[in-house]
Amino acid sequence: MPKKRNWVVWGAALFIAWHGLLLLFLWSRPSSSSSSSSSSLTAEVIRLAQDAETELERQKDLLQQIHRYSHLWAQRRGAPGTPKPPPQAPSPPPPLLPEPSGAVLPVLVMACDRSTVRRCLDKLLRYRPSAQRFPVIVSQDCGHAETARVIASYGDAVAHIRQPDLAEIPVPPEHRKFQGYYKIARHYRWALAQVFHAFHYRAAIVVEDDLEVAPDFFEYFQAAFPLLLADPSLWCVSAWNDNGKEQMVDVAQAELLYRTDFFPGLGWLLLAELWDELEPKWPRAFWDDWMRQPEQRRGRSCIRPEVSRTMTFGRKGVSHGQFFDQYLKFIKLNDRFVPFTQLDLSYLKKDEYERSFLAKVYAAPEVRVEELQGNRRRELGTVRLQYSGRDSFKAFAKALGLMDDLKSGVPRAGYRGIVSFVYRGRRVYLAPPSDWTGYDPSWS
C-alpha cells in the first residue's frame, strides 16, 4: 500500500505542477484590447491546454508501466504480500508442441575436424521446411579452428555447441590405435545429453558431418515419428539402407519402408526415453556396435527405407575408409520427393508387418544362387534364396554383392533374418527357413 500511495501522490503533484505552469504563463502575458490579440491568446491557451493534456496522458502511461514492472520485480525477488501467478512450465527454445504432427525434431550434427561440414549443412538448410520445427544444432568436438569458422559462418541459422573435454582418453595398450573411437563415444554422450537434458527436446535426429541428405529427409522423419511414439517394438528410425547401392534397390518404389533388426545409424531418430535408458551404461568406445548387441536392442527394431535418405561423402575418418570404397560410396541417395506424411504407414506396425511381410517372403518361389547369378527363371518374378547357417549366409551375400558382416548374428538391413534387395532387376529375399527361431550371437 505505501508504494501505491507514493505513485498517487507523485501523479497528483505532476498534475498540479503542469496547471501551475499554465496559469503562470497566462498571468505573465501583457494585456491587449485588440481583437486579434484576444483571439491569439485564446488559441494559445487552447494549444497549451491540449499539450498539457497530452503530456499528462504520457505521464499516466509511464506511471502504469513503472508500476507494472515494479510489481513483476517484486514478484521475482519474492516480495512479501505480493500475489504470485500460477507457475508455468519451462519452455526451452524452441517450444515443444504437443501433437506429433507438429513436434519439434532437432537435427543434431556431430562435427569434428571436417570443414566439409558445409556440404552437410547446406543441404539440411536447403531442404528443411521449417526452422522452428527442425532446428539444427551442430555439436563440435576436436577444437578444429577451420571447422569452427565454417560453422560460425551460418550465423543464427544453426546453433553451435562445443564439447568441452578435449583431453586424451586413457585406453588399454591394445586400443591405442582406436583412440578416435573413444573420443567419438565421449562426444556422442555429451551431445545427446545436451539435446535431451539441457534443451529438453522430445526426440532428435542425429547425423554426422559427412552425410548429405535427400530432398524428403525431413518429410520422412516427420511421418515416421508418430510410429516411433506409438510402437514400443521400435526404438529408432533410420534414413540408411546398408545394402542401398543403386543396382540393389528399386528406385521406382522410393516410398517403400521396412522394419529392420539391425541398427543402421547414419541419420537416425531416437526418443528422449531411449536416451534415458542408454545414457547410464553408454560405452567408452564403439558405440554403434554396442547398440547392436542384444542387451541394448532388446528385441526392438528400426524403420529403414528402400532408398537411402542419406549418403556419406566422408572417406576420411577414424575407420580409415573401411567399407567406403567397396560399399558406402555407391549408396543411392533418393532424389524424388515422397509425401510420406500423406501416406498410410500403419503397415509398419509389428503385428501387421509380420503378417504381410512374412507371408510375402515365404510365398516367393525358392531358387539357387547359381540361377540368380545366371539370370535364369526370370518368369518367377520375386524369388527367395534360403540360407541355413552363418557360412551359407556369408557365401550368398558375398556372391550377390551384399554386405556380409553380422553383428550379434543380425545381418545388415535384416528383419527376422531376412534381407530384401534387388538383383538384376528383380526382388530377392535372402532368408532363413520359415521355422526361424531367433538370432545366434555366435554368428558375429
Side-chain angles (χ1 to χ4, degrees):
M1 285 299 293
K3 286 188 177 181
K4 187 171 183 182
R5 192 180 295 114
N6 288 340
W7 295 121
V8 172
V9 170
W10 195 88
L14 184 66
F15 181 82
I16 292 169
W18 270 106
H19 281 75
L21 288 170
L22 177 63
L23 289 172
L24 182 64
F25 174 81
L26 293 175
W27 286 339
S28 64
R29 292 181 64 87
S31 58
S32 172
S33 57
S34 69
S35 62
S36 62
S37 268
S38 174
S39 101
S40 173
L41 178 61
T42 303
E44 184 72 11
V45 168
I46 293 172
R47 184 184 67 76
L48 286 169
Q50 290 173 339
D51 289 347
E53 185 177 358
T54 301
E55 187 61 29
L56 281 172
E57 285 297 320
R58 287 200 192 104
Q59 296 299 328
K60 181 180 176 183
D61 289 341
L62 179 61
L63 281 170
Q64 288 175 344
Q65 289 183 41
I66 293 171
H67 183 66
R68 184 167 62 251
Y69 286 122
S70 67
H71 181 67
L72 291 173
W73 179 249
Q75 283 183 344
R76 288 187 180 181
R77 299 187 62 182
T82 305
K84 294 184 178 181
Q88 295 181 353
S91 53
L96 302 179
L97 303 177
E99 294 298 321
S101 60
V104 175
L105 296 179
V107 179
L108 175 62
V109 180
M110 305 297 292
C112 180
D113 59 355
R114 291 188 182 107
S115 57
T116 52
V117 67
R118 184 180 299 280
R119 178 172 170 183
C120 171
L121 293 176
D122 283 349
K123 288 298 176 70
L124 284 170
L125 297 178
R126 179 188 301 179
Y127 294 138
R128 72 172 172 177
S130 164
Q132 288 71 39
R133 292 186 57 196
F134 299 101
V136 175
I137 303 168
V138 185
S139 180
Q140 187 187 359
D141 199 3
C142 311
H144 190 247
E146 177 58 27
T147 301
R149 282 193 291 271
V150 170
I151 298 167
S153 71
Y154 287 86
D156 294 338
V158 306
H160 186 190
I161 59 177
R162 292 173 172 86
Q163 199 282 114
D165 184 3
L166 303 182
E168 292 297 307
I169 301 174
V171 301
E174 64 273 16
H175 276 195
R176 282 176 188 156
K177 64 179 179 180
F178 300 130
Q179 174 82 217
Y181 291 98
Y182 283 81
K183 291 182 178 180
I184 289 171
R186 178 177 65 184
H187 185 197
Y188 265 82
R189 180 171 193 156
W190 181 84
L192 288 168
Q194 295 303 301
V195 167
F196 292 122
H197 299 327
F199 303 143
H200 304 288
Y201 284 110
R202 179 74 178 81
I205 304 166
V206 183
V207 301
E208 287 80 22
D209 57 359
D210 62 345
L211 291 181
E212 182 176 327
V213 303
D216 56 358
F217 174 87
F218 293 98
E219 175 79 359
Y220 168 64
F221 282 112
Q222 182 181 338
F225 177 55
L227 276 175
L228 190 58
L229 286 175
D231 189 346
S233 71
L234 292 173
W235 72 325
C236 87
V237 178
S238 173
W240 183 259
N241 176 2
D242 276 293
N243 292 305
K245 291 190 285 188
E246 185 161 10
Q247 70 272 23
M248 304 192 80
V249 296
D250 186 351
V251 293
Q253 285 193 293
E255 73 283 355
L256 184 58
L257 305 178
Y258 296 86
R259 294 175 69 101
T260 176
D261 297 324
F262 191 90
F263 173 72
L266 294 174
W268 56 289
L269 169 68
L270 76 158
L271 300 179
E273 294 92 327
L274 180 61
W275 180 242
D276 289 341
E277 173 191 326
L278 298 177
E279 184 182 24
K281 56 179 180 176
W282 191 252
R284 295 185 66 224
F286 311 108
W287 71 270
D288 48 351
D289 282 344
W290 175 83
M291 291 276 287
R292 292 159 184 152
Q293 295 172 358
E295 295 80 9
Q296 281 63 253
R297 192 173 71 82
R298 294 169 50 195
R300 294 170 292 190
S301 304
C302 296
I303 301 297
R304 62 99 174 166
E306 167 77 3
V307 185
S308 288
R309 265 59 188 188
T310 55
M311 63 164 286
T312 178
F313 54 84
R315 189 179 189 279
K316 171 194 170 188
V318 293
S319 64
H320 304 292
Q322 181 188 22
F323 296 131
F324 185 84
D325 291 328
Q326 190 176 358
Y327 295 104
L328 302 183
K329 72 178 182 180
F330 299 111
I331 296 294
K332 167 66 177 176
L333 180 66
N334 181 60
D335 56 9
R336 177 170 64 87
F337 187 92
V338 174
F340 282 110
T341 56
Q342 300 174 30
L343 303 181
D344 180 7
L345 302 183
S346 61
Y347 70 91
L348 292 164
K349 293 180 179 178
K350 183 176 182 179
D351 291 342
E352 185 172 343
Y353 188 79
E354 291 195 351
R355 185 167 50 250
S356 61
F357 181 68
L358 296 180
K360 189 186 303 181
V361 169
Y362 290 103
E366 186 178 348
V367 296
R368 301 191 311 275
V369 69
E370 296 83 6
E371 292 174 320
L372 279 175
Q373 290 177 310
N375 205 24
R376 301 197 296 271
R377 304 182 71 184
R378 295 285 304 178
E379 72 282 0
L380 296 178
T382 298
V383 293
R384 173 170 48 94
L385 177 63
Q386 185 165 297
Y387 64 90
S388 56
R390 174 185 180 275
D391 292 342
S392 61
F393 171 83
K394 290 181 74 69
F396 291 157
K398 192 170 293 187
L400 299 173
L402 298 170
M403 294 191 77
D404 65 340
D405 60 324
L406 299 145
K407 303 291 184 180
S408 297
V410 183
R412 291 182 182 267
Y415 185 72
R416 292 180 58 90
I418 303 163
V419 179
S420 174
F421 63 101
V422 171
Y423 187 78
R424 294 197 172 182
R426 60 174 166 174
R427 177 68 55 186
V428 179
Y429 299 115
L430 179 57
S434 58
D435 59 355
W436 180 87
T437 56
Y439 294 108
D440 183 348
S442 70
W443 284 21
S444 294

